[in-house]
Amino acid sequence: MRKPRLLHVPFWLTYVFLYAPIVVLVAMSVNSGDSPYSFDGFSLKWYGALAQNEDIREGLVNTLIVALATTVLATVLGTLLAVGMARYTRSRTLDAIGLLPAVLPDLVLAIGLLVLYSAVQMTLGLHSVLLAHVVFGMAFVAAVVRTRLSHGDTTLEEASRDLGAGAVTTFLRITLPQLAPGIAAGALLAFTLSVDEFVIAFFTSAPTEPTLPVVIYSMVRFGVTPEINALATLLLAVSFTVVIAAQRMTRLTESLS
Amino acid sequence: MSTTKEHDVATRPAPREGPRRPRRTRGSGRFFAGLVFLGPGLTYLIVLLMIPLALVLSYSIFQRGRFGGVVYEPTGENFTRLLDPLYLDVVLGSLKLATIATLIALLVGYPTAYMIAMLPRKWKTIALVAIVLPFWTNFLVRVYAWIVLLSGPGVVNTALIDLGLIDEPLEFLYNQGTIVTGLVYSYLPLMVLPLYAAIEKLDPTLREASANLGARPARTFFSVTLPLTVPGVLTGCLFVFVPSFGNFIIPELLGGGRSIMVGNLIRDQFLKARDWPFGATLALALVAVLVALLLAQAWAARRYSRA
């Protein structure tokens, strides 16, 4: 196939566009000067300042609590939902409900939950963020697990039932191991989405218990500081590692199967 | 399960008689199993998704209480207020900005996706991961990066002044252009991925046939490649438009704090003005536009696949 030379320019420009802000951010995070804008020399002092920042540490702890709990709940509920939808019903309404959290604007879900919480007079806190994050976490886990279910065939499950195993044994020993890579990918997705989620957390968290994105938002609103550059760099490093690891992992499981 | 057992099963002739297999039963057992799998998740989604949505949408016909609560007396007031130019302009303005961002993302994304699809297999994966990577990083951090770049004393201005090109810092931030830039930057990966999937699926022999029949590359592109990738174009446009339209962070951080898009307006009604019924009405308008788009996309895709 002939390679269109003309396309090289927009192709590379896209990557420059995507990565230039990130490169600048990382460079400014190791700046020794006090200005977040002009580079004076190399220093890690802003990372030290970051470690001392009480708000950020608190936000990080809150975020990790919410994200871990979300991952556990969303993975269990999402996996059950995916198996149930693939094996026990053909309802397209259920399909639509299952996909809804993934396509609904986060703002609409956020105000919906805020209205619900106030209607039942529930106090806001980490639990209210957790309940909200499970909604979309579950939808994404279910979507990922379902793609694996529709690829796999049911002959193994049928064989297991033919040989006398009950529904529970078949699920635990046949279905679940087959789904494991999908479940792992879904769990990782739910965790990452919860860690990064801002809009819903902004509406459903208590002012005294903000998650990390909410803390970042209030810092960013009041202007640029080198400290945020350092924090942003660390967050970038974590996301990049997770995405590349996940990429390696799926390729590994693909090559095994 | 040992290998010998598997072997046994495979070679043994299928039993013709004997008791009916348990999995064929379609009675209460199957219903119960379905309930175990579907029950918890569906209950959760009904309580924490469907009921909240129903509540919000129903609020749009009620009135605001004097101290910010909701008075449950039906009124059409919220909808007439929606037609007030003050608010209608914001909704239309959001439509405009989201549309522009979507079109730019398409213009930037299509050649990129095309190039990626033409790359050798090994580079293809790397190029795709590099597209997705920024998308998986914190959204606020990506928006913030643009403030560092473009603000009054920002990196771009500092560099321009140091180079002697300008004397005074230019105002890049806080206009509609930066909002569009932020939207394109944030959602470009969502455009590239479906486009790539559509282009990748194309049978290369079609393009070769077109070329062999004497069509120039441009003609081949507009008569063969582009029409065949329309479903990818529609999906990509939807993926960029939906999060752009309801966005309130990018307009606030890059657009300068004023209520410029419908997302800011909704946020303000809920958190500042505490006029929940009107906020709900705006949310309803937002959802209505998106549903209309989804239906249009489904209709176009169906029409297209029939043709």
Side-chain angles (χ1 to χ4, degrees):
Chain A
M1 210 180 300
R2 209 169 59 87
K3 268 182 215 154
R5 302 219 151 218
L6 204 70
L7 291 182
H8 280 282
V9 179
F11 174 76
W12 287 111
L13 276 180
T14 301
Y15 287 94
V16 170
F17 175 62
L18 284 178
Y19 284 91
I22 293 176
V23 170
V24 168
L25 203 63
V26 173
M28 289 306 159
S29 78
V30 291
N31 186 9
S32 63
D34 283 342
S35 157
Y37 303 115
S38 57
F39 197 78
D40 295 331
F42 181 84
S43 147
L44 288 177
K45 68 173 181 179
W46 297 114
Y47 289 87
L50 190 66
Q52 301 297 317
N53 191 317
E54 204 59 45
D55 290 344
I56 287 176
R57 209 185 312 160
E58 216 174 286
L60 182 65
V61 170
N62 288 340
T63 286
L64 287 178
I65 293 172
V66 170
L68 286 173
T70 298
T71 308
V72 173
L73 280 172
T75 307
V76 172
L77 290 172
T79 304
L80 288 176
L81 196 64
V83 174
M85 290 205 295
R87 298 281 190 264
Y88 292 97
T89 174
R90 293 215 184 99
S91 163
R92 298 192 64 185
T93 318
L94 291 192
D95 279 358
I97 294 177
L99 272 179
L100 192 57
V103 293
L104 193 73
D106 42 10
L107 180 61
V108 177
L109 182 57
I111 58 175
L113 287 161
L114 183 66
V115 166
L116 176 79
Y117 292 157
S118 89
V120 298
Q121 298 190 335
M122 192 173 94
T123 51
L124 299 182
L126 291 185
H127 57 281
S128 51
V129 183
L130 166 66
L131 286 174
H133 279 191
V134 173
V135 175
F136 64 80
M138 176 182 8
F140 279 99
V141 171
V144 174
V145 172
R146 267 200 87 175
T147 53
R148 260 198 96 79
L149 269 172
S150 49
H151 286 315
D153 57 339
T154 56
T155 46
L156 277 179
E157 285 164 31
E158 282 168 18
S160 160
R161 298 300 297 269
D162 281 350
L163 291 170
V168 177
T169 317
T170 302
F171 176 71
L172 291 178
R173 307 218 19 203
I174 307 294
T175 316
L176 216 48
Q178 275 185 302
L179 292 180
I183 296 173
L188 198 63
L189 192 61
F191 182 80
T192 322
L193 287 172
S194 171
V195 167
D196 274 349
E197 204 289 321
F198 165 69
V199 174
I200 296 171
F202 180 64
F203 277 87
T204 58
S205 63
T208 48
E209 287 177 302
T211 61
L212 189 59
V214 178
V215 175
I216 298 176
Y217 174 74
S218 47
M219 286 173 80
V220 169
R221 270 183 69 189
F222 291 110
V224 173
T225 72
E227 233 173 312
I228 309 181
N229 292 344
L231 178 65
T233 304
L234 288 180
L235 288 174
L236 284 168
V238 172
S239 319
F240 278 30
T241 318
V242 170
V243 171
I244 291 170
Q247 173 72 20
R248 286 275 160 95
M249 222 164 66
T250 43
R251 235 191 307 168
L252 194 72
T253 49
E254 266 169 22
S255 62
L256 285 178
S257 62
Chain B
M1 200 191 286
S2 74
T3 5
T4 45
K5 256 191 193 162
E6 267 174 22
H7 184 71
D8 277 345
V9 173
T11 50
R12 190 171 33 179
R16 288 277 163 220
E17 57 246 281
R20 270 186 81 76
R21 299 166 186 187
R23 74 189 158 84
R24 290 272 180 253
T25 54
R26 283 201 162 265
S28 57
R30 192 182 153 76
F31 175 77
F32 183 70
L35 203 65
V36 169
F37 282 113
L38 290 168
L42 282 182
T43 311
Y44 198 100
L45 289 179
I46 288 168
V47 175
L48 284 140
L49 176 70
M50 303 313 281
I51 292 180
L53 281 182
L55 275 177
V56 167
L57 300 184
S58 70
Y59 271 21
S60 62
I61 57 163
F62 294 126
Q63 296 171 24
R64 172 197 189 183
R66 187 172 287 173
F67 304 106
V70 177
V71 179
Y72 295 94
E73 278 171 37
T75 171
E77 200 182 292
N78 294 313
F79 291 95
T80 42
R81 208 171 142 202
L82 195 61
L83 298 175
D84 183 331
L86 188 66
Y87 302 109
L88 197 61
D89 283 354
V90 175
V91 177
L92 294 178
S94 315
L95 271 174
K96 190 185 88 183
L97 289 180
T99 307
I100 295 173
T102 307
L103 291 179
I104 293 177
L106 179 62
L107 285 178
V108 176
Y110 203 104
T112 309
Y114 194 90
M115 257 312 271
I116 297 175
M118 299 297 140
L119 286 173
R121 204 183 146 73
K122 184 183 152 205
W123 290 105
K124 213 181 261 185
T125 317
I126 294 174
L128 275 178
V129 172
I131 290 280
V132 187
L133 216 44
F135 188 72
W136 280 110
T137 60
N138 189 288
F139 177 73
L140 287 164
V141 164
R142 280 179 293 144
V143 177
Y144 166 77
W146 282 95
I147 304 179
V148 176
L149 266 180
L150 295 181
S151 68
V155 171
V156 171
N157 269 322
T158 311
L160 287 177
I161 292 174
D162 288 350
L163 289 171
L165 292 175
I166 53 172
D167 300 323
E168 290 287 305
L170 300 173
E171 186 61 280
F172 294 117
L173 272 183
Y174 311 131
N175 57 57
Q176 302 206 331
T178 33
I179 297 179
V180 170
T181 309
L183 292 173
V184 173
Y185 184 73
S186 301
Y187 303 121
L188 186 60
L190 295 179
M191 177 64 88
V192 173
L193 289 183
L195 283 178
Y196 163 79
I199 297 168
E200 163 85 328
K201 248 191 349 210
L202 276 186
D203 187 349
T205 52
L206 289 175
R207 264 173 310 210
E208 281 161 24
S210 167
N212 289 342
L213 290 170
R216 292 182 172 281
R219 174 84 201 267
T220 300
F221 177 76
F222 285 108
S223 325
V224 179
T225 311
L226 188 59
L228 285 174
T229 50
V230 165
V233 172
L234 291 175
T235 311
C237 287
L238 200 67
F239 281 2
V240 175
F241 187 90
V242 169
S244 298
F245 185 47
N247 205 294
F248 75 86
I249 305 163
I250 293 175
E252 173 163 331
L253 295 181
L254 300 181
R258 284 168 297 139
S259 284
I260 307 177
M261 288 180 74
V262 65
N264 307 78
L265 213 51
I266 296 176
R267 194 266 321 265
D268 290 348
Q269 294 304 320
F270 272 88
L271 298 185
K272 285 185 189 155
R274 296 200 69 79
D275 187 345
W276 287 18
F278 186 55
T281 312
L282 288 164
L284 181 67
L286 178 85
V287 172
V289 169
L290 297 182
V291 168
L293 275 173
L294 276 170
L295 291 177
Q297 194 249 12
W299 177 79
R302 210 173 25 217
R303 219 184 115 95
Y304 169 84
S305 64
R306 228 188 288 140

